[in-house]
Amino acid sequence: MGRHSRKGPGATRRETGAAAGAGTERGTGRRGRDSATPPSRDGHSPFRDAPQVRGGHPEQHEPGGGWGTGPQPHHGGRQDPAGPGGQEIFRAGQAAMARQQAAQREAGRRTAGPQTGDATLIPGPRREFLEAFETTPSRPVPPVPHEAGPRTPGGPDEPAGAPVDPGAREPKGSRGRTFTGIAAAAVTTVLAVVVAGQVAQSGGAVDAPQSGGVDRQDSEDASRSVERAAPQVQRQEAAPLTYAQKMATAFPLAPDLKASGTFEAVPGLAKAPGKGHKYRYRIDVEQGLGLDSGLFAEAVQKTLNDDRSWAHNGAMTFERISSGEPDFVITLASPGTTGVWCAKSGLDTTEDNVSCDSAATDRVMINAYRWAQGASTFGPDKLLAYRQMLINHEVGHRLGHDHVSCSTPGALAPVMQQQTKTLDLDGVKCRPNPWVHPGS
């Protein structure tokens, strides 16, 4: 049981009269002590009146333990009288206490997070705070280098000789929860600082508007990082020009232009709208003019079948075709080409750059320059009327009508008068007129 036990009162001591208080114990080799003797430095004192117990209690002595400062040597170099059995118990107590301290340090290390070198452990968030944010990380957390392997005894955070519990493992997911808790605490701290700054700047009003500089920065960041939709400008598409507007618009064309001399028929069919004798005609346009052939074809059909024209009172009607045998061909050609075809019928159109009915051929020639630019007798504001007169006048020649001069000053000029050249003949000045029957 160890040598601190006693086997009974007076079993190992002999007292001899008065010498018992100051003498020595015989047979034990120990110095006798009476009740007045103070306790020794190792904390043992003979309680004379205390009940004697069997066995005794092993005292554990290590630095920082709960039993004092540990065993102290006796005067004269004598060692602790615990004996070999007591030393084994002492070492076992030391190992248990070392394991307890290692577990405490491990718990503090887990709470404080990873360490670097000999840096002092910083207490981390409380366990209740971590459990509130406990989540399983979405991806594995890379291992910390000094936590990857088993801890080495005698490291910077534990004394040499301290045993390491090989069965102790860090709980799964605790590192992620620790990092999550620390991050949450940091975010909370930052938010508190920001709110405090806003309160200080606005004189206590938390909801005070932010400064213009912050707004400008946010706007610039947004303009750089966010792809914004371009402002949609409502564009009003220009309405297509009406027939009358197109007919009143001048087109650019040189007065001495001579184009390719090749003609192309305008496709399509425009039925004769009226009664009477039907004239079938085709429209050819010289290639390379750059003019609207569709507009020209539309103008011819509308002008000839107008009741103010040759179709007055159903006397005749006109139908446009693009194939087959026509009665005549109305041709839009450049000034140079018009002169060539008019010369075939003995007519000179180059002097005044005019149009003609080439009677020796099947073509009624319309000078493209006059069609595009008009004439000074009508002026720029009456281009529509001039174009109608040009069609009626040249087709009138095809129908057998000759030139007629104005006889009444101030009256409307006859449609068969050469109004392109002049409205003043022999001192009689008339007004421009596009129609055969203008009063209808």
Side-chain angles (χ1 to χ4, degrees):
M1 292 297 295
R3 298 187 180 183
H4 285 71
S5 60
R6 296 186 177 90
K7 297 182 180 180
T12 58
R13 299 180 56 185
R14 296 181 182 179
E15 299 181 358
T16 55
T24 60
E25 293 181 356
R26 299 180 184 273
T28 63
R30 298 182 180 180
R31 184 178 300 175
R33 241 184 322 211
D34 58 11
S35 60
T37 303
S40 64
R41 294 183 180 181
D42 60 358
H44 300 280
S45 58
F47 293 97
R48 185 178 302 272
D49 298 329
Q52 303 298 315
V53 289
R54 180 175 176 173
H57 190 97
E59 297 178 359
Q60 301 177 1
H61 303 283
E62 68 276 355
W67 297 92
T69 60
Q72 301 292 332
H74 290 276
H75 294 287
R78 294 184 61 190
Q79 301 295 327
D80 184 12
Q87 292 294 331
E88 294 178 358
I89 295 174
F90 174 74
R91 285 193 295 272
Q94 277 188 327
M97 183 59 66
R99 285 194 297 270
Q100 181 178 2
Q101 292 178 348
Q104 293 175 353
R105 285 192 296 272
E106 179 68 15
R109 181 184 63 80
R110 295 174 183 173
T111 305
Q115 299 179 0
T116 303
D118 297 333
T120 306
L121 292 176
I122 301 175
R126 296 180 59 184
R127 180 65 183 173
E128 296 82 357
F129 183 80
L130 295 180
E131 290 178 352
F133 293 93
E134 180 174 356
T135 55
T136 303
S138 59
R139 54 183 178 183
V141 179
V144 179
H146 82 278
E147 294 181 352
R151 296 169 55 197
T152 304
D157 57 349
E158 62 184 51
V164 177
D165 187 0
R169 290 187 177 180
E170 184 175 350
K172 184 177 181 180
S174 61
R175 187 183 310 159
R177 291 192 298 271
T178 302
F179 291 161
T180 303
I182 295 174
V187 171
T188 304
T189 304
V190 171
L191 291 176
V193 172
V194 171
V195 172
Q198 291 180 351
V199 172
Q201 292 178 0
S202 60
V206 178
D207 57 348
Q210 297 181 352
S211 64
V214 175
D215 294 339
R216 288 194 298 271
Q217 181 66 31
D218 292 343
S219 300
E220 293 174 359
D221 293 342
S223 64
R224 289 192 296 266
S225 60
V226 178
E227 185 177 1
R228 296 181 177 180
Q232 297 181 356
V233 179
Q234 295 182 354
R235 297 181 178 177
Q236 294 182 354
E237 296 183 359
L241 296 177
T242 63
Y243 167 75
Q245 290 172 334
K246 292 179 182 179
M247 288 289 286
T249 303
F251 307 116
L253 197 139
D256 57 350
L257 175 64
K258 185 175 182 179
S260 64
T262 303
F263 303 112
E264 182 178 8
V266 176
L269 173 67
K271 286 287 188 176
K275 299 178 180 179
H277 181 77
K278 182 191 300 184
Y279 288 94
R280 302 174 74 211
Y281 70 95
R282 188 181 78 228
I283 290 182
D284 287 355
V285 177
E286 186 179 11
Q287 295 179 358
L289 292 180
L291 297 177
D292 188 349
S293 59
L295 175 63
F296 180 71
E298 183 181 5
V300 170
Q301 181 70 2
K302 286 184 175 181
T303 300
L304 293 178
N305 287 290
D306 194 293
D307 190 59
R308 295 168 292 180
S309 183
W310 303 108
H312 177 64
N313 287 335
M316 60 188 70
T317 186
F318 299 88
E319 183 174 281
R320 179 174 67 86
I321 64 173
S322 58
S323 61
E325 291 296 328
D327 294 314
F328 51 90
V329 179
I330 301 177
T331 306
L332 182 64
S334 64
T337 303
T338 299
V340 170
W341 280 87
C342 291
K344 293 180 180 182
S345 299
L347 302 173
D348 184 7
T349 59
T350 59
E351 183 176 353
D352 296 311
N353 218 357
V354 294
S355 304
C356 79
D357 171 38
S358 182
T361 68
D362 60 352
R363 295 188 181 275
V364 176
M365 302 302 296
I366 304 296
N367 193 320
Y369 173 74
R370 292 301 179 183
W371 174 264
Q373 294 292 313
S376 60
T377 52
F378 279 71
D381 58 334
K382 294 181 180 179
L383 189 55
L384 169 60
Y386 176 80
R387 288 170 175 169
Q388 292 170 334
M389 184 278 300
L390 191 59
I391 295 171
N392 280 326
H393 182 92
E394 300 305 333
V395 172
H397 283 305
R398 177 61 58 165
L399 296 175
H401 299 279
D402 294 329
H403 287 149
V404 177
S405 297
C406 180
S407 59
T408 305
L412 291 175
V415 73
M416 294 309 296
Q417 182 173 330
Q418 290 181 306
Q419 298 181 61
T420 298
K421 293 182 178 180
T422 183
L423 290 173
D424 192 350
L425 292 172
D426 300 329
V428 178
K429 186 175 182 180
C430 296
R431 293 180 290 138
N433 171 46
W435 299 112
V436 178
H437 305 279
S440 300

